[in-house]
Amino acid sequence: MTPGELRRSMSTWPWFVATAGGLGHMWPASGTWGSLPPAVLFAMMSGAQAPVWLHLAVQVALGLAACRGCVRHGGQVERFVGRKDPGVVVVDEVAGMALTLVLSLVGLVVMQSISAGPESWAASIARALPTSL
C-alpha cells in the first residue's frame, strides 16, 4: 500500500500520528526515522540552552502523546495494511526515543548530584534541574 493510498483509506490525522508525520514511509529503516523527532527536539533545545527541567517536560509530553497516538491509531493502520506491527507505524519509536532521552537526562542529573559531594541527593538534584545542560 502506498503512502497516499494509506492516507486516503484512513483519515489524515490518524495517518499523520501513526506514521510520525510520514516518517514511517521513509526507507531504509523506517523505525530509525521514527526516532528522529525527539532527537531533533533535544538538539534544538540544547542549542537554545534550554534548562534540564524543560527538556524533561518536553520529552515526557512527547512520549505520552506518542504512547496515546500508538494505542489510539496503531490498530487502525494494522487493519488497513492487513498485518500486525507494520513498519509504517513508527509512533512507538517516537515514544521509545523520548523515554530514552528522559532516562538519560535523569541519569545525568543523578551523576551530577553524586559528584557534588556529601550533601543529600535530593537537594543536589533539585538544584541541578533548573540549570542548563
Side-chain angles (χ1 to χ4, degrees):
M1 180 174 280
T2 69
E5 290 171 337
L6 181 61
R7 190 170 7 145
R8 282 187 298 277
S9 64
M10 314 175 53
S11 62
T12 301
W13 182 247
W15 169 85
F16 184 85
V17 170
T19 65
L23 290 173
H25 296 291
M26 301 285 289
W27 292 99
S30 60
T32 302
W33 288 102
S35 299
L36 196 58
V40 168
L41 274 173
F42 182 84
M44 288 177 11
M45 291 177 66
S46 294
Q49 298 182 343
V52 174
W53 69 265
L54 185 58
H55 276 277
L56 287 169
V58 167
Q59 295 297 337
V60 165
L62 180 61
L64 290 174
C67 286
R68 183 172 188 254
C70 190
V71 169
R72 188 161 185 186
H73 302 298
Q76 187 179 3
V77 177
E78 286 179 345
R79 284 189 298 281
F80 283 111
V81 172
R83 66 176 203 256
K84 288 295 245 178
D85 195 22
V88 71
V89 176
V90 294
V91 70
D92 53 334
E93 276 79 8
V94 173
M97 179 58 79
L99 175 63
T100 300
L101 290 171
V102 165
L103 294 176
S104 297
L105 287 167
V106 169
L108 286 172
V109 169
V110 169
M111 293 306 292
Q112 286 178 348
S113 71
I114 290 171
S115 66
E119 60 194 25
S120 80
W121 282 22
S124 183
I125 289 171
R127 261 198 331 278
L129 283 176
T131 63
S132 295
L133 283 175

